[in-house]
Amino acid sequence: KAGVTQTPRYLIKTRGQQVTLSCSPISGHRSVSWYQQTPGQGLQFLFEYFSETQRNKGNFPGRFSGRQFSNSRSEMNVSTLELGDSALYLCASSGGQNYGYTFGSGTRLTVV
Amino acid sequence: DQQVKQNSPSLSVQEGRISILNCDYTNSMFDYFLWYKKYPAEGPTFLISISSIKDKNEDGRFTVFLNKSAKHLSLHIVPSQPGDSAVYFCAASRSGNTPLVFGKGTRLSVIA
């Protein structure tokens, strides 16, 4: 069974630009969560979508947004990029409570 | 306010010996705990979990211990192997479709 697929793997953007990252969950999984990983900060929760609805949201500014489509694929968007947004963005899908998450390989975003 | 803490950023262990990774949490509502392992340029992969109704869970070389009164859990790896060298993340959740909360990770180096 295919895993969680994130595209693109690497991205370089300039300050002020916007970016869209994509995540395809494991087939049948309806929950998709997004995390930001930066050195020394671990995994910071961005948001979670379930059946096209945002179910939970972390403490990130409104420049960070997301959505989920009817096929459970999810996108996250970051507008007006800042240097501090450089990070590994991880998507995880889950089949239900206490099943844990299956992560994708992430998208490495570099803002210059 | 960090709800899940991994106070050791790094740990070095000799091959064949025991590795003990520690994790503390502050939120007494957490009732499910997980450990993830992460290699560079990959997403975290699920290792082992434990429910708050248990105090120990074993899976091969990996054992997780939970001490609810101390709000502390630990991951034991016996015997440690060079392939175990990775960053280990502790995560916690509480019932009700809430997101996983991660610690900052501990980098384990197993020396041959």
Side-chain angles (χ1 to χ4, degrees):
Chain A
K1 143 171 153 173
V4 178
T5 304
Q6 289 189 248
T7 56
R9 286 297 307 274
Y10 302 94
L11 207 47
I12 299 176
K13 289 285 188 178
T14 305
R15 270 184 304 174
Q17 287 187 312
Q18 69 139 21
V19 68
T20 299
L21 312 182
S22 179
C23 171
S24 294
I26 288 174
S27 178
H29 284 191
R30 295 161 66 191
S31 167
V32 174
S33 298
W34 289 89
Y35 284 82
Q36 181 196 66
Q37 185 190 9
T38 53
Q41 289 302 313
L43 277 71
Q44 303 285 312
F45 173 71
L46 281 153
F47 26 67
E48 182 205 3
Y49 286 88
F50 180 83
S51 294
E52 302 178 68
T53 301
Q54 188 179 84
R55 185 157 69 176
N56 289 292
K57 188 176 189 307
N59 295 323
F60 277 80
R63 300 185 296 108
F64 292 81
S65 63
R67 58 178 175 167
Q68 186 179 33
F69 302 95
S70 58
N71 61 358
S72 292
R73 190 178 71 85
S74 177
E75 289 181 346
M76 68 162 279
N77 184 278
V78 188
S79 62
T80 320
L81 283 165
E82 301 176 358
L83 295 179
D85 296 333
S86 295
L88 179 67
Y89 290 88
L90 291 160
C91 165
S93 74
S94 172
Q97 183 71 18
N98 290 350
Y99 281 88
Y101 292 177
T102 300
F103 282 88
S105 296
T107 294
R108 170 74 61 187
L109 172 66
T110 302
V111 182
V112 297
Chain B
D1 174 32
Q2 211 184 337
Q3 298 185 71
V4 178
K5 299 177 186 178
Q6 294 178 257
N7 292 319
S8 298
S10 63
L11 175 68
S12 284
V13 171
Q14 284 219 306
E15 181 179 5
R17 307 293 288 266
I18 183 172
S19 295
I20 300 176
L21 295 95
N22 294 304
C23 178
D24 297 294
Y25 60 96
T26 57
N27 189 339
S28 57
M29 300 295 289
F30 287 144
D31 56 10
Y32 195 67
F33 305 89
L34 308 92
W35 285 94
Y36 282 82
K37 174 178 172 180
K38 186 180 184 301
Y39 293 117
E42 295 182 14
T45 54
F46 170 74
L47 201 54
I48 191 169
S49 63
I50 187 167
S51 163
S52 60
I53 62 172
K54 295 185 173 182
D55 54 19
K56 177 182 173 181
N57 189 27
E58 260 181 285
D59 184 1
R61 297 186 297 114
F62 303 91
T63 303
V64 57
F65 295 92
L66 175 63
N67 182 332
K68 287 191 293 294
S69 60
K71 294 194 183 68
H72 176 84
L73 63 155
S74 60
L75 174 68
H76 292 210
I77 307 174
V78 183
S80 300
Q81 299 173 352
D84 296 329
S85 297
V87 177
Y88 289 77
F89 290 97
C90 169
S93 74
R94 55 186 174 91
S95 302
N97 296 318
T98 59
L100 286 184
V101 179
F102 285 83
K104 293 187 177 182
T106 296
R107 181 177 301 278
L108 173 66
S109 299
V110 180
I111 304 158

